[in-house]
């Protein structure tokens, strides 16, 4: 996620990192080359009466802008819903750990409370790796070994649905406290509701990750943008003349950038600069829960890199 400070309007014109320009620069170059070709071909086109009017392109451009705006709204809704789900994951984790301390009467530094804390942190970490398809990576294995006992870490690593396995371990912890007489029936029900919330957030993230915007819809818009921007210079050449390359590239940038932004926001759990900073959010959850356990030291907070990207 880009976390730049507020910038002057002139600086925004020159921003490279975090913009989608790097994704569409080649296509813009092709559009500019076509526009130069159209300018060179203008006398021949006029001589053969092959001039395109800007009127149909204006109508198509308005309709295309509306469709692209709709698709961007849908993509941003997915992004914002994903952000709210991870915010809910943080809140539910805090509530569960607080209840694990206050309702059981255990001290924040009690080993059983620390065990519950590590299960919650592991759940967030595993969910992050699952959404980013990196469960088999060394980083994911290191997180499991750091947070969980060796036998449980191995079981979670082998599981087809590791988050579900961790949720079962959390529920088993609650059951053990009830068996030991530390949790009443009412307290168990209260904690179970928060466990249900965790399950809902986890399942909703899976739904977003597994259900992209319909492919045919994306292909239609991408093809329309490409054809429109390809023919655009030939409609502008009679009105803009030698300025056709400048005008054509500017218009093409607006349409291609909207298409690229929608593609990037469609998958909010990825690793692009404008995707959600899942690593930073997992670190926030871990720091928050460890502080509730009165840990002696906390991991350093996440900070943006030199390009203002928070991973």
């Amino acid at each position: 996620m880009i976390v730049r400070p507020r910038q002057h309007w002139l600086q925004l014109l020159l921003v490279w990192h975090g913009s989608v320009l790097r994704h569409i620069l080649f296509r813009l170059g092709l559009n500019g080359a076509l526009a130069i070709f159209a300018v060179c071909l203008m006398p021949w086109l006029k001589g053969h009466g092959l001039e395109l009017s800007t009127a149909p392109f204006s109508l198509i451009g308005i309709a295309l802008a509306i469709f692209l705006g709709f698709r961007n709204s849908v993509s941003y809704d997915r992004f914002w819903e994903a952000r709210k789900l991870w915010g809910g994951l943080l809140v539910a984790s805090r509530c569960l750990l607080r209840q694990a301390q206050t309702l059981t009467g255990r001290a924040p530094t009690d080993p059983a409370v620390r065990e519950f804390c590590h299960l919650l942190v592991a759940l967030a970490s595993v969910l992050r790796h699952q959404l980013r398809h990196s469960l088999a990576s060394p980083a994911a294995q290191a997180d499991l070994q750091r947070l969980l006992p060796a036998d449980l870490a191995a079981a979670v690593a082998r599981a087809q649905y590791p988050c579900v396995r961790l949720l079962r371990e959390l529920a088993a912890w609650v059951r053990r406290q009830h068996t030991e007489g530390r949790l009443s029936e009412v307290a168990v029900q209260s904690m179970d509701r928060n466990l249900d919330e965790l399950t809902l957030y986890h399942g909703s993230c899976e739904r977003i990750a597994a259900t992209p915007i319909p492919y045919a819809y994306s292909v239609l818009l991408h093809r329309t943008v490409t054809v429109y921007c390809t023919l655009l210079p030939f409609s502008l050449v009679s009105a803009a003349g030698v300025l056709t390359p400048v005008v054509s590239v500017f218009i093409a940038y607006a349409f291609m950038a909207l298409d690229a932004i929608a593609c990037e926001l469609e998958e909010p759990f990825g690793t692009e600069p404008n995707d959600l900073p899942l690593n930073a959010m997992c670190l926030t959850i871990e720091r928050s829960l460890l502080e509730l356990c009165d840990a002696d030291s906390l991991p350093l907070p996440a900070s943006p890199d030199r390009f203002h990207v928070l991973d």
Side-chain angles (χ1 to χ4, degrees):
M1 177 182 287
I2 304 297
V3 288
R4 284 182 179 272
R6 186 178 295 275
Q7 294 178 292
H8 189 268
W9 64 269
L10 184 58
Q11 290 177 303
L12 288 175
L13 292 177
L14 304 175
V15 166
W16 173 262
H17 293 284
S19 72
V20 295
L21 185 59
R22 61 192 178 93
H23 295 301
I24 63 174
L25 193 59
F26 179 72
R27 286 185 286 166
L28 288 177
L30 289 179
N31 185 268
L34 274 175
I36 294 173
F37 176 71
V39 171
C40 296
L41 204 63
M42 181 170 55
W44 185 88
L45 292 174
K46 286 186 176 180
H48 289 78
L50 298 176
E51 294 183 75
L52 289 176
S53 171
T54 58
F57 281 84
S58 299
L59 295 175
I60 296 173
I62 293 173
L64 188 56
I66 293 173
F67 290 141
L68 283 171
F70 172 75
R71 188 190 172 203
N72 271 271
S73 296
V74 172
S75 297
Y76 185 76
D77 282 344
R78 291 166 59 85
F79 176 88
W80 183 237
E81 183 185 2
R83 180 62 187 91
K84 289 191 292 184
L85 291 172
W86 272 83
L89 185 70
L90 170 62
V91 173
S93 298
R94 286 172 174 170
C95 289
L96 276 167
L97 186 57
R98 172 180 53 79
Q99 290 173 324
Q101 297 171 8
T102 58
L103 297 183
T104 63
R106 293 185 180 274
T109 55
D110 190 294
V113 173
R114 289 290 179 90
E115 175 193 358
F116 193 73
C117 172
H118 290 162
L119 285 171
L120 289 170
V121 174
L123 177 65
S125 179
V126 169
L127 179 57
R128 170 193 56 178
H129 288 296
Q130 178 182 336
L131 295 173
R132 288 186 167 177
H133 308 289
S134 59
L135 283 172
S137 67
Q141 301 304 313
D143 284 341
L144 288 177
Q145 295 169 8
R146 176 175 62 90
L147 295 167
L148 303 174
D151 55 342
L152 179 56
V156 172
R158 292 192 304 268
Q160 293 293 316
Y161 302 97
C163 288
V164 176
R165 177 59 188 271
L166 286 170
L167 285 165
R168 190 180 76 178
E169 291 297 323
L170 288 165
W173 187 94
V174 174
R175 185 186 67 247
R176 287 197 300 271
Q177 303 309 306
H178 176 60
T179 303
E180 295 174 9
R182 287 184 171 272
L183 286 175
S184 66
E185 288 290 343
V186 175
V188 169
Q189 292 175 11
S190 178
M191 295 190 73
D192 193 59
R193 282 194 294 270
N194 281 316
L195 286 173
D196 288 343
E197 289 291 318
L198 285 182
T199 305
L200 174 63
Y201 298 141
H202 159 253
S204 298
C205 286
E206 282 187 328
R207 167 178 53 79
I208 293 175
T211 312
I213 294 176
Y215 181 68
Y217 185 60
S218 299
V219 169
L220 172 62
L221 277 177
H222 185 70
R223 284 177 176 170
T224 306
V225 168
T226 301
V227 173
Y228 178 85
C229 292
T230 299
L231 297 178
L232 182 62
F234 298 95
S235 72
L236 292 173
V237 68
S238 59
V242 295
L243 293 178
T244 297
V246 177
V247 178
S248 178
V249 168
F250 178 73
I251 297 175
Y253 169 73
F255 284 108
M256 291 179 182
L258 281 172
D259 187 35
I261 290 172
C263 289
E264 194 166 308
L265 294 182
E266 179 184 353
E267 299 179 4
F269 305 120
T271 56
E272 293 290 335
N274 291 301
D275 290 329
L276 288 174
L278 298 189
N279 291 338
M281 285 192 265
C282 283
L283 186 56
T284 298
I285 291 174
E286 182 173 359
R287 283 170 51 83
S288 178
L289 297 185
L290 287 177
E291 187 173 47
L292 279 172
C293 290
D294 292 341
D296 295 330
S297 61
L298 302 179
L300 294 176
S303 57
D305 61 17
R306 63 191 183 95
F307 299 122
H308 304 279
V309 176
L310 190 63
D311 186 16

